[in-house]
Amino acid sequence: MNDRALRDLVIGLGGTAGGVPRESRFDITAASEVMAVFCLASSLPDLRERLARIVVGRTREDELVTAGKLGAADAMTALLKDAIHPNLVQTLEGGPAIVHGGPFANIAHGCSSILGTRTALHLADDVITEAGFGFDLGAEKFLDIKCRAAGLWPHAAVVVATLRALKMHGGAPVAQAGGPDEKALAAGLPQLDKHLETARAFGLTPVVAINVFGNDPEAELALVEKHLADQGVRCGRSTAFAHGGEGALELAKIVAGVVDAAPENPEPRFLYPLDAPYRDKLRAIARTVYGADDVILAPAAQQAIDRIVKGGHAHLPVCVAKTHLSLSDDPKLLGRPTGFTVTVREVRLSAGAGFVVALTGEILTMPGLPKEPAALRVRIGDDGKVRGLMQNE
Amino acid sequence: MNDRALRDLVIGLGGTAGGVPRESRFDITAASEVMAVFCLASSLPDLRERLARIVVGRTREDELVTAGKLGAADAMTALLKDAIHPNLVQTLEGGPAIVHGGPFANIAHGCSSILGTRTALHLADDVITEAGFGFDLGAEKFLDIKCRAAGLWPHAAVVVATLRALKMHGGAPVAQAGGPDEKALAAGLPQLDKHLETARAFGLTPVVAINVFGNDPEAELALVEKHLADQGVRCGRSTAFAHGGEGALELAKIVAGVVDAAPENPEPRFLYPLDAPYRDKLRAIARTVYGADDVILAPAAQQAIDRIVKGGHAHLPVCVAKTHLSLSDDPKLLGRPTGFTVTVREVRLSAGAGFVVALTGEILTMPGLPKEPAALRVRIGDDGKVRGLMQNE
Amino acid sequence: MNDRALRDLVIGLGGTAGGVPRESRFDITAASEVMAVFCLASSLPDLRERLARIVVGRTREDELVTAGKLGAADAMTALLKDAIHPNLVQTLEGGPAIVHGGPFANIAHGCSSILGTRTALHLADDVITEAGFGFDLGAEKFLDIKCRAAGLWPHAAVVVATLRALKMHGGAPVAQAGGPDEKALAAGLPQLDKHLETARAFGLTPVVAINVFGNDPEAELALVEKHLADQGVRCGRSTAFAHGGEGALELAKIVAGVVDAAPENPEPRFLYPLDAPYRDKLRAIARTVYGADDVILAPAAQQAIDRIVKGGHAHLPVCVAKTHLSLSDDPKLLGRPTGFTVTVREVRLSAGAGFVVALTGEILTMPGLPKEPAALRVRIGDDGKVRGLMQNE
Amino acid sequence: MNDRALRDLVIGLGGTAGGVPRESRFDITAASEVMAVFCLASSLPDLRERLARIVVGRTREDELVTAGKLGAADAMTALLKDAIHPNLVQTLEGGPAIVHGGPFANIAHGCSSILGTRTALHLADDVITEAGFGFDLGAEKFLDIKCRAAGLWPHAAVVVATLRALKMHGGAPVAQAGGPDEKALAAGLPQLDKHLETARAFGLTPVVAINVFGNDPEAELALVEKHLADQGVRCGRSTAFAHGGEGALELAKIVAGVVDAAPENPEPRFLYPLDAPYRDKLRAIARTVYGADDVILAPAAQQAIDRIVKGGHAHLPVCVAKTHLSLSDDPKLLGRPTGFTVTVREVRLSAGAGFVVALTGEILTMPGLPKEPAALRVRIGDDGKVRGLMQNE
């Protein structure tokens, strides 16, 4: 259960029998280091080693205390030994899919498990995997973190676009972004362009998937297609949500073409080398992917980096926690903002996951419930039928 | 995970975005009111109603705030809708058993679910159910709470005894209680007598099951049998742990005899009526079951009772949280102590479960880990084999 | 400033720069151990030694950490070196009075400083000193704690009585206790008798001072006088509040007579020897002074005593913190209650003061403000004149 | 007592009787808003009004809760009604001095009371007042805050310099900065130049007082004098610490000359107008006084400013809390740093004092004790003589 009251707490109260008083926090499962460890582990022994490396505190002499030093690594691994086997599920049409691991891409690294991906690669000719949110979040982390850890690199990248999101980034109010508004659409296209530009910075040839809604005006769809064609970017319409696999056939053919044209063993092109200073890694991401002028490290963030480096973890990739509502760290900056800086207010070591988490803006690793929590809409009948889980039910 | 640091905490810190600062606690699952609700629910609608009645706070005007008033009852029920179906498992010999619900009998009401018991009663001629720890804990709550809620009453009661436990209650040090010590055994028998006396106070004819260990001296076993025979109490040896079902046949026949001799619809005989004052209910349990002189209510406990009564919950049964190491609330008072009082330091309302929890002595609803946690012994191999879960592995 | 929010707090938060997180509390100055140390010190070196003995914590090995071990004793003494000199002030009529030290008698030991009393004894033939609240609070502590520490013993004891308080203890509602009510007065007299009985238990001959209010009915005053005369207790009316020194002359003569008749070096008669177990010391006070049946030690209180004894402080007197509204620990038990027990919920070591504090009932060492704090009535004019400090101003 | 454990705490615990749980902090007296109110009040009625304006919280509707709304203003004023009268003390030579009010200039506004200064102006021809630390702290606040509030403006400004401090700012290690080092001295002079430049930015003609130590090399003193003469800045040596008033005569004559040459009613020249946005006020100070490139407002600081403006306090001066060890907010940047930014991490409203506090870098309003607190050196003899208060005693 995510509860904002668990973001910041003092535990160990009630006298010595209650343990040592200390400040603590809960993270939502999707932001937990154990989730990241689980997704990035390449085998059971690697899982155990990663769990052992998780840092849970520091001694008075400032030495790292790890789960391994506490003797907890084997017990933790035992708890996860079955969970680490990839889950094979099927779509409504019977197509196979592996659903395994769930870190969110705004507050964590946003990719399904390496073991899941590898299993799929053993079983299929082509594997499609999702990286959450935009190219600035899931994709950047997929490439710089997961692919680097797994020794893999994709043959193609598909960027999903909807008229509604583009119009929202073009200035249309959220409630009206679903309606026709060619002007807002045109104004929103640079946001898509930025994602494509980022894909190219990684050496990838992006394909745009236009996720078509039933009432999308043909003129607006054509406008997007023309805009992309003018830049030489391939795109395809997908009506998979409405029509299932059939609806994605056109897109699939285009993507297959790109994949076939790609070199068999594509060369990874990371945004930053692992031995660069953390400030430079953050700058590389912020400037190349977000379009920022620079990164500002709050004093606490800089101190955390210094301690991390001093503790022997200088060469990890960076997992940026950032709002998914903007390319910047300010959820109100829509479209393709420029002339902004990104503020890193806190940096945390995830030694087990093998990265450093940089928290920007006001992003939190324990979401709060909205004013009207979804639970209020859930209804269960005496027959056990549950209603209200989906928005329009 | 049970962690003593979660016994007493302050949550909701970090400014207004972190919610309202407040003192809180975590309970171990086995002591959670949701567990009790789940075990005492008679149907899915009853489960929802009980969940809705759980009190989570009070308004400034001192009115009860329930999960139902927060709109959470349906969502909570939806989470439990599958779990409420009893689990059918089998013994190593293939015998059917329903394992369903896990409240501990020292810190909670200690009985498996009503739905599980009812399901078994539909399926079998005879149903045996366990109530945790001694007659002072599991059995008292089974009768006063679960049977009262379910409208059931047993035809017989089996009290399990071991030479080792009796010798320990007779003064033998724990480490040596497994060895021969006739004197300690004789000194410990009054503890067993007290449990039998309590069974009779509920109108039940107790049968003693002597849980035989391989090296139990025959003379000592005979001593217990004679002691019981002198009082007219039937008993049977069980070697089920070593020999499986065969080892329990003798005992089973004796119990079957008692059941057959019992009236078909036995009349429940509770220790207290529900409309007695809480102090009297506590006294009835403490005097009849524990052998105490009286119950002392700490000021905070008395205040809690006053508020509970004022809030409209005057007529609930009482679930006493008490150490299982003694008939009293002091774990060091072994055997059959007399001349002691029981101190109730805290009283909590479990309106959903339908009882009031009285915490005695120093019993806690969130256990701490021992100096050497069991996790330290757990080992997992690269093949995924887990060792160290059992004590002697 | 007394503020209930400072009763129970967690300090040292905000990361390592903010110190070590821990639970703490503030006491009101009048309940502080430094106040008690200051009042019981016999000289500047004794003050320093007492401050050095103040226990501020325990090591992990359970050894006492004192102010002296922290190196703070000299600095603390330096802060108090001028304050320790007794203050000579004067009454409105120019009579000399030493006002020095202010521990409250309900939450602390309730007596002015030993140095003040000794100074007065050097300067005057007769010294009158006040011990706060009733004989059950200030007087018991004056005799068992202050006199024992100072090696002094009084020649006489004056118990102050008002018709209003007696009527209140006889059942009259507070608001009406100022009016005539002979029946309530008669019903309240046993409360006075208990105080006199206690005085005699210390070997003292009590004199009753009837503190006369302007509208006290003559018949009621006579009733009290007759009641006392019947027991052979001397009493005198005092109108000192209205008429100054003149109004206390009659009483003074009676007291002087008692003093002159007393032995020159009266033998102290304490309620308990210092080497008795703490439970017995508490029992002696509760039975003899409060009229209780017994004392109940909450588990936490017993544990604290065990630790205090183990830490080498077995032979200190006891300072009971108890409501001043009743002879018992329950503020609602008026008159001369019987058949009650006193519950000690917490015991604290004041090694510097040289006593052990036993907190009974719900008494707190940090009072809260009432619903309408006195500060709301204070008014200051542009001329700097302050009004509203007294109740009827 | 300043104690780092009181920087960040949770109060109001222990159940409803302990008040409402909340996060809080203690400030050292010198940083308290009451100290600032006291120093800036122009009269007793103004003191009461300022105390009434102190903001202590916000309602759920985000309205300011003030001490006045709580009804506390009169009682608070009553407590300070005598303290507000300036204290006349004397130097060792019998010279009169008014010592009144003690806010530190790094964490507060750093000036003695307006009432003290006004009293002095009534009594003397010339009044010299001190503003704590360098021109970047005390002087800036003296001019922008105190002079603005009091309607006063100085006729001259004296900047005190020592060879030791200049050498330290020129790169000499602290421990050796007292010894001869002409090179470090020359390297440190730009730091002094910056202070003089700032004085001129306020329209003042600065005089430098060289605070001479016994072993200061003549050649180094001459070097400073020449450096100043080259810029047309007057300076004078002072040996007042060693020789008393005589030692300051030369300097006094120079300053008197500057004062006599100044216009009788000098025109104030503030760094910023009160109606400028807070960001601009902060920029004006940081660029003109500290030599910074820009000011960075942490998100929390910007939010605080927005709330302050929304709450109706848009036009207050700014009191910057900043380390006194550097012109920048980084204590390690010595000399005259350039190319740096100043980070404001927190902004607080002091509506009673009439300014907004901007906390920069890691400056705190509750200092911690050093590893070896000064208290450890304090010694008191049995005669009451205190030693160890001064460093070399």
Side-chain angles (χ1 to χ4, degrees):
Chain A
M1 184 69 185
N2 55 316
D3 182 345
R4 62 182 70 238
L6 297 178
R7 279 177 188 163
D8 194 347
L9 56 168
V10 178
I11 62 173
L13 302 177
T16 49
V20 179
R22 57 194 186 273
E23 297 174 274
S24 193
R25 70 167 202 274
F26 280 81
D27 284 341
I28 192 170
T29 311
S32 148
E33 184 175 356
V34 173
M35 173 63 88
V37 160
F38 167 90
C39 286
L40 292 169
S42 58
S43 65
L44 191 72
D46 183 47
L47 175 66
R48 186 178 44 196
E49 272 167 44
R50 285 174 178 270
L51 290 170
R53 283 203 301 265
I54 292 179
V55 174
V56 295
R58 282 166 186 273
T59 65
R60 283 185 177 274
E61 292 70 35
D62 214 31
E63 275 165 33
L64 302 178
V65 177
T66 61
K69 284 192 188 159
L70 293 182
D74 277 69
M76 291 173 80
T77 310
L79 286 172
L80 292 170
K81 83 179 174 65
D82 295 321
I84 206 178
H85 297 146
N87 301 310
L88 181 65
V89 302
Q90 57 183 330
T91 67
L92 291 176
E93 292 174 329
I98 288 176
V99 174
H100 198 229
F104 293 167
N106 51 348
I107 53 181
H109 80 283
C111 305
S112 64
S113 78
I114 285 181
L115 284 177
T117 304
R118 283 216 179 120
T119 303
L121 287 166
H122 280 291
L123 298 169
D125 293 327
D126 294 305
V127 173
I128 301 163
T129 185
E130 194 235 356
F133 297 118
F135 216 98
D136 54 325
L137 289 170
E140 187 273 318
K141 294 165 185 174
F142 172 76
L143 296 164
D144 275 329
I145 297 177
K146 178 176 170 181
C147 286
R148 179 144 33 188
L152 299 170
W153 198 255
H155 294 81
V158 177
V159 176
V160 181
T162 64
L163 297 187
R164 190 161 73 167
L166 290 171
K167 284 183 252 184
M168 211 192 69
H169 275 291
V174 178
Q176 295 156 37
D181 186 343
E182 229 168 281
K183 202 173 144 192
L185 177 62
L189 285 171
Q191 215 261 353
L192 177 56
D193 295 343
K194 178 77 196 88
H195 287 303
L196 302 176
E197 195 179 304
T198 304
R200 282 185 220 108
F202 281 96
L204 298 168
T205 308
V207 174
V208 173
I210 305 180
N211 186 9
V212 179
F213 283 50
N215 58 351
D216 282 348
E218 178 57 34
E220 292 189 359
L221 292 169
L223 189 150
V224 175
E225 287 167 335
K226 180 172 182 320
H227 175 82
L228 294 169
D230 288 351
Q231 303 175 57
V233 174
R234 266 160 295 189
C235 77
R237 299 188 189 184
S238 164
T239 59
F241 189 80
H243 305 125
E246 291 284 335
L249 269 184
E250 178 205 337
L251 172 65
K253 281 174 195 160
I254 295 168
V255 175
V258 171
V259 169
D260 290 343
E264 194 164 341
N265 292 304
E267 189 67 29
R269 197 197 292 177
F270 304 117
L271 270 199
Y272 52 82
L274 290 182
D275 57 1
Y278 282 115
R279 182 183 286 271
D280 291 356
K281 294 175 191 170
L282 286 162
R283 259 192 192 133
I285 299 169
R287 288 177 173 164
T288 311
V289 182
Y290 310 155
D293 284 353
D294 203 355
V295 166
I296 292 164
L297 293 171
Q302 185 57 59
Q303 283 163 26
I305 288 177
D306 293 345
R307 289 181 97 192
I308 288 168
V309 170
K310 204 179 139 203
H313 292 98
H315 297 156
L316 301 174
V318 171
C319 179
V320 180
K322 186 183 75 70
T323 178
H324 60 283
L325 298 171
S326 168
L327 281 165
S328 77
D329 61 345
D330 175 354
K332 290 182 209 124
L333 285 187
L334 299 184
R336 178 181 182 164
T338 54
F340 65 93
T341 54
V342 168
T343 303
V344 176
R345 63 166 214 279
E346 195 179 333
V347 169
R348 299 176 189 161
L349 172 64
S350 287
F355 54 63
V356 153
V357 180
L359 292 113
T360 66
E362 298 179 45
I363 197 84
L364 296 163
T365 49
M366 171 54 90
L369 295 175
K371 275 198 186 164
E372 182 149 341
L376 294 182
R377 285 195 308 271
V378 175
R379 289 285 171 269
I380 183 163
D382 289 355
D383 56 356
K385 284 249 175 82
V386 178
R387 284 174 191 78
L389 292 178
M390 299 297 164
Q391 210 134 8
N392 304 317
E393 212 180 347
Chain B
M1 184 70 184
N2 54 316
D3 183 344
R4 62 183 70 238
L6 296 178
R7 278 178 188 161
D8 195 346
L9 55 169
V10 179
I11 61 173
L13 302 178
T16 50
V20 179
R22 57 195 187 271
E23 296 174 275
S24 192
R25 71 167 201 274
F26 280 81
D27 284 341
I28 192 170
T29 312
S32 148
E33 184 174 358
V34 173
M35 173 64 87
V37 160
F38 168 88
C39 286
L40 291 168
S42 57
S43 65
L44 190 73
D46 183 45
L47 175 67
R48 185 177 47 196
E49 272 166 44
R50 285 174 178 269
L51 291 171
R53 283 202 300 267
I54 292 179
V55 173
V56 295
R58 282 165 187 275
T59 65
R60 282 185 177 273
E61 291 71 35
D62 215 31
E63 276 166 31
L64 303 178
V65 177
T66 61
K69 283 192 190 158
L70 293 182
D74 277 69
M76 291 173 80
T77 310
L79 287 171
L80 292 170
K81 84 182 173 64
D82 295 321
I84 206 177
H85 297 145
N87 301 310
L88 182 64
V89 301
Q90 56 182 332
T91 68
L92 291 175
E93 293 174 330
I98 288 175
V99 176
H100 198 228
F104 292 167
N106 51 349
I107 52 181
H109 81 283
C111 306
S112 65
S113 78
I114 286 181
L115 284 177
T117 304
R118 285 217 178 118
T119 303
L121 286 166
H122 278 291
L123 298 169
D125 293 328
D126 294 306
V127 174
I128 301 163
T129 185
E130 194 235 356
F133 297 119
F135 216 98
D136 55 324
L137 289 169
E140 187 272 317
K141 294 165 185 174
F142 172 76
L143 297 164
D144 275 329
I145 296 177
K146 178 176 169 181
C147 286
R148 179 143 35 189
L152 298 170
W153 197 254
H155 292 82
V158 178
V159 174
V160 182
T162 65
L163 297 186
R164 189 161 75 167
L166 290 171
K167 284 184 254 185
M168 211 192 68
H169 275 292
V174 177
Q176 296 157 35
D181 187 343
E182 229 168 279
K183 203 172 141 192
L185 177 62
L189 285 169
Q191 215 260 357
L192 175 57
D193 296 344
K194 180 73 198 93
H195 287 302
L196 302 175
E197 197 179 302
T198 303
R200 284 184 219 106
F202 282 97
L204 298 169
T205 306
V207 175
V208 173
I210 305 181
N211 186 10
V212 179
F213 282 50
N215 58 350
D216 282 349
E218 176 58 34
E220 292 190 3
L221 292 169
L223 191 150
V224 175
E225 287 168 335
K226 181 172 182 318
H227 176 81
L228 294 169
D230 288 352
Q231 303 176 58
V233 174
R234 263 161 296 187
C235 77
R237 299 188 190 185
S238 165
T239 59
F241 188 80
H243 305 127
E246 289 285 332
L249 269 184
E250 180 205 336
L251 172 67
K253 281 174 195 160
I254 297 169
V255 176
V258 173
V259 168
D260 290 344
E264 194 164 341
N265 293 304
E267 190 66 29
R269 197 198 292 177
F270 304 117
L271 271 199
Y272 52 82
L274 290 183
D275 57 2
Y278 282 114
R279 181 182 286 270
D280 291 357
K281 293 176 192 170
L282 285 162
R283 257 190 194 136
I285 298 169
R287 288 177 174 164
T288 312
V289 181
Y290 310 155
D293 285 352
D294 204 355
V295 166
I296 292 163
L297 294 171
Q302 185 56 61
Q303 282 164 25
I305 287 176
D306 294 346
R307 290 182 97 190
I308 288 167
V309 170
K310 205 179 139 202
H313 292 99
H315 296 156
L316 299 175
V318 172
C319 178
V320 180
K322 185 181 76 68
T323 177
H324 60 281
L325 298 171
S326 169
L327 281 164
S328 77
D329 60 345
D330 176 355
K332 291 184 208 123
L333 287 186
L334 299 184
R336 179 180 180 165
T338 54
F340 66 92
T341 53
V342 168
T343 303
V344 177
R345 63 166 215 280
E346 194 179 334
V347 170
R348 298 177 190 159
L349 172 63
S350 287
F355 54 64
V356 153
V357 180
L359 292 114
T360 68
E362 299 178 46
I363 196 86
L364 295 165
T365 49
M366 170 56 87
L369 295 176
K371 275 197 186 163
E372 182 149 340
L376 295 182
R377 285 195 308 271
V378 175
R379 288 286 169 271
I380 183 163
D382 289 355
D383 56 355
K385 283 249 173 82
V386 178
R387 286 173 190 79
L389 292 177
M390 298 297 162
Q391 211 135 9
N392 304 317
E393 212 179 346
Chain C
M1 184 70 184
N2 54 316
D3 183 345
R4 64 182 68 239
L6 297 178
R7 279 178 189 162
D8 195 347
L9 55 168
V10 179
I11 62 172
L13 302 176
T16 49
V20 179
R22 57 195 187 271
E23 296 174 274
S24 192
R25 69 167 203 275
F26 281 81
D27 285 341
I28 192 170
T29 311
S32 147
E33 185 175 356
V34 173
M35 173 65 86
V37 161
F38 168 90
C39 286
L40 292 169
S42 58
S43 65
L44 189 72
D46 183 47
L47 175 66
R48 185 177 47 197
E49 272 166 44
R50 286 174 178 270
L51 291 170
R53 283 201 302 266
I54 293 178
V55 174
V56 295
R58 284 166 185 274
T59 64
R60 282 185 178 273
E61 292 71 34
D62 215 30
E63 275 165 34
L64 303 178
V65 177
T66 60
K69 282 190 190 161
L70 293 182
D74 277 68
M76 291 173 80
T77 310
L79 286 172
L80 291 170
K81 84 180 172 66
D82 295 321
I84 206 178
H85 297 146
N87 301 311
L88 181 65
V89 302
Q90 57 182 330
T91 67
L92 291 176
E93 291 173 330
I98 288 175
V99 175
H100 198 229
F104 292 167
N106 51 349
I107 53 180
H109 80 283
C111 306
S112 64
S113 78
I114 286 182
L115 284 177
T117 304
R118 284 217 178 120
T119 304
L121 287 167
H122 278 292
L123 297 171
D125 293 328
D126 294 305
V127 173
I128 301 162
T129 184
E130 193 235 357
F133 296 120
F135 215 96
D136 55 324
L137 289 170
E140 188 273 317
K141 293 165 184 174
F142 172 76
L143 296 164
D144 275 330
I145 296 177
K146 177 176 171 180
C147 285
R148 179 142 35 187
L152 299 171
W153 198 255
H155 293 81
V158 178
V159 175
V160 181
T162 64
L163 297 187
R164 189 160 75 167
L166 289 171
K167 284 183 254 185
M168 211 191 68
H169 275 291
V174 177
Q176 295 157 37
D181 187 343
E182 229 167 279
K183 202 173 144 192
L185 178 62
L189 285 169
Q191 215 262 355
L192 177 56
D193 296 344
K194 180 75 194 93
H195 286 303
L196 302 175
E197 196 179 304
T198 303
R200 283 185 220 106
F202 280 97
L204 297 169
T205 308
V207 174
V208 173
I210 307 180
N211 186 10
V212 180
F213 282 49
N215 59 349
D216 280 349
E218 178 57 35
E220 292 190 358
L221 292 169
L223 190 151
V224 175
E225 287 167 335
K226 180 170 182 320
H227 176 82
L228 294 170
D230 287 351
Q231 303 176 57
V233 173
R234 266 160 292 187
C235 77
R237 301 188 188 183
S238 164
T239 59
F241 189 80
H243 306 127
E246 288 286 333
L249 268 183
E250 179 205 336
L251 172 66
K253 280 174 194 158
I254 295 169
V255 175
V258 172
V259 167
D260 290 344
E264 194 164 342
N265 293 303
E267 190 67 29
R269 198 197 292 177
F270 304 117
L271 270 199
Y272 51 83
L274 291 183
D275 56 3
Y278 282 115
R279 181 182 286 270
D280 291 356
K281 294 175 191 171
L282 285 162
R283 258 191 193 134
I285 298 170
R287 288 176 174 167
T288 312
V289 182
Y290 311 155
D293 284 352
D294 204 356
V295 166
I296 293 164
L297 293 172
Q302 185 57 59
Q303 282 164 26
I305 287 176
D306 293 346
R307 290 182 98 191
I308 288 168
V309 169
K310 205 180 139 202
H313 292 100
H315 297 155
L316 299 175
V318 171
C319 178
V320 179
K322 186 182 74 69
T323 176
H324 59 282
L325 298 172
S326 168
L327 281 165
S328 77
D329 62 343
D330 176 354
K332 290 183 209 126
L333 286 188
L334 299 184
R336 179 181 180 163
T338 54
F340 66 93
T341 53
V342 169
T343 303
V344 177
R345 64 168 214 280
E346 192 180 336
V347 170
R348 297 176 190 161
L349 172 63
S350 287
F355 54 64
V356 152
V357 180
L359 291 114
T360 67
E362 299 179 45
I363 197 86
L364 295 165
T365 49
M366 172 54 90
L369 294 176
K371 276 199 186 163
E372 181 148 344
L376 294 182
R377 286 196 307 272
V378 175
R379 288 285 171 270
I380 184 164
D382 289 355
D383 56 356
K385 284 249 173 82
V386 178
R387 286 175 189 79
L389 293 178
M390 299 299 163
Q391 211 134 10
N392 304 318
E393 211 180 347
Chain D
M1 184 69 184
N2 55 315
D3 183 344
R4 62 181 70 239
L6 297 177
R7 279 178 190 162
D8 195 346
L9 55 169
V10 178
I11 61 174
L13 303 176
T16 49
V20 179
R22 57 194 186 274
E23 297 174 274
S24 192
R25 72 167 201 274
F26 281 81
D27 284 341
I28 193 170
T29 312
S32 147
E33 184 174 357
V34 173
M35 173 64 87
V37 159
F38 168 89
C39 287
L40 292 168
S42 58
S43 65
L44 190 73
D46 182 46
L47 175 66
R48 185 177 47 197
E49 273 168 43
R50 285 174 177 269
L51 290 170
R53 283 202 300 266
I54 291 178
V55 173
V56 295
R58 283 166 186 275
T59 65
R60 282 184 179 275
E61 291 71 33
D62 215 31
E63 276 165 32
L64 302 178
V65 177
T66 61
K69 282 190 190 159
L70 293 182
D74 277 68
M76 292 173 79
T77 311
L79 287 172
L80 291 170
K81 82 179 175 66
D82 296 321
I84 205 179
H85 297 146
N87 300 310
L88 182 64
V89 301
Q90 57 183 330
T91 67
L92 291 176
E93 293 174 328
I98 288 175
V99 175
H100 198 228
F104 293 167
N106 52 347
I107 53 182
H109 80 284
C111 306
S112 64
S113 78
I114 286 182
L115 283 177
T117 304
R118 283 219 179 119
T119 303
L121 287 167
H122 278 293
L123 297 170
D125 293 327
D126 293 307
V127 173
I128 301 164
T129 186
E130 194 235 355
F133 296 119
F135 215 97
D136 55 323
L137 289 169
E140 187 273 318
K141 294 164 184 174
F142 172 76
L143 296 165
D144 275 329
I145 297 176
K146 177 175 169 181
C147 286
R148 179 141 38 187
L152 298 171
W153 197 255
H155 293 82
V158 178
V159 175
V160 182
T162 64
L163 296 187
R164 189 161 76 168
L166 289 171
K167 284 183 253 184
M168 211 191 67
H169 275 291
V174 177
Q176 296 157 36
D181 187 343
E182 227 166 281
K183 203 173 141 190
L185 177 63
L189 285 170
Q191 215 261 358
L192 176 57
D193 296 344
K194 178 76 195 95
H195 287 302
L196 301 176
E197 196 179 304
T198 304
R200 282 184 220 107
F202 282 97
L204 297 169
T205 307
V207 174
V208 174
I210 305 180
N211 186 9
V212 179
F213 281 50
N215 58 350
D216 280 349
E218 177 58 33
E220 292 190 3
L221 291 169
L223 190 151
V224 175
E225 287 168 336
K226 180 172 182 319
H227 176 81
L228 294 169
D230 287 352
Q231 302 175 58
V233 173
R234 264 160 295 187
C235 77
R237 300 188 187 183
S238 165
T239 59
F241 188 80
H243 305 128
E246 289 287 332
L249 269 183
E250 179 205 335
L251 172 67
K253 280 174 195 162
I254 296 169
V255 175
V258 173
V259 170
D260 290 344
E264 193 164 342
N265 292 304
E267 189 66 29
R269 197 197 292 177
F270 304 117
L271 271 198
Y272 51 82
L274 291 183
D275 57 3
Y278 282 115
R279 181 183 286 271
D280 291 358
K281 293 175 190 169
L282 285 163
R283 259 191 193 135
I285 298 169
R287 289 177 172 166
T288 311
V289 182
Y290 311 155
D293 283 353
D294 204 355
V295 165
I296 293 164
L297 293 171
Q302 184 58 58
Q303 281 164 26
I305 287 176
D306 293 346
R307 289 181 99 190
I308 288 168
V309 169
K310 204 179 139 201
H313 292 99
H315 296 156
L316 299 174
V318 172
C319 178
V320 179
K322 184 182 76 68
T323 178
H324 60 281
L325 298 172
S326 168
L327 281 165
S328 78
D329 62 344
D330 176 353
K332 290 183 209 124
L333 285 187
L334 300 185
R336 179 181 180 164
T338 54
F340 66 93
T341 54
V342 168
T343 303
V344 177
R345 65 167 212 279
E346 193 180 334
V347 170
R348 299 177 187 158
L349 172 63
S350 287
F355 54 65
V356 154
V357 180
L359 291 113
T360 67
E362 298 178 46
I363 197 85
L364 295 164
T365 50
M366 170 56 88
L369 294 176
K371 276 199 185 161
E372 181 149 341
L376 294 182
R377 284 195 308 271
V378 175
R379 288 286 170 269
I380 183 164
D382 289 355
D383 56 356
K385 284 249 172 81
V386 178
R387 284 174 190 78
L389 292 178
M390 299 298 164
Q391 210 134 8
N392 304 319
E393 212 180 348

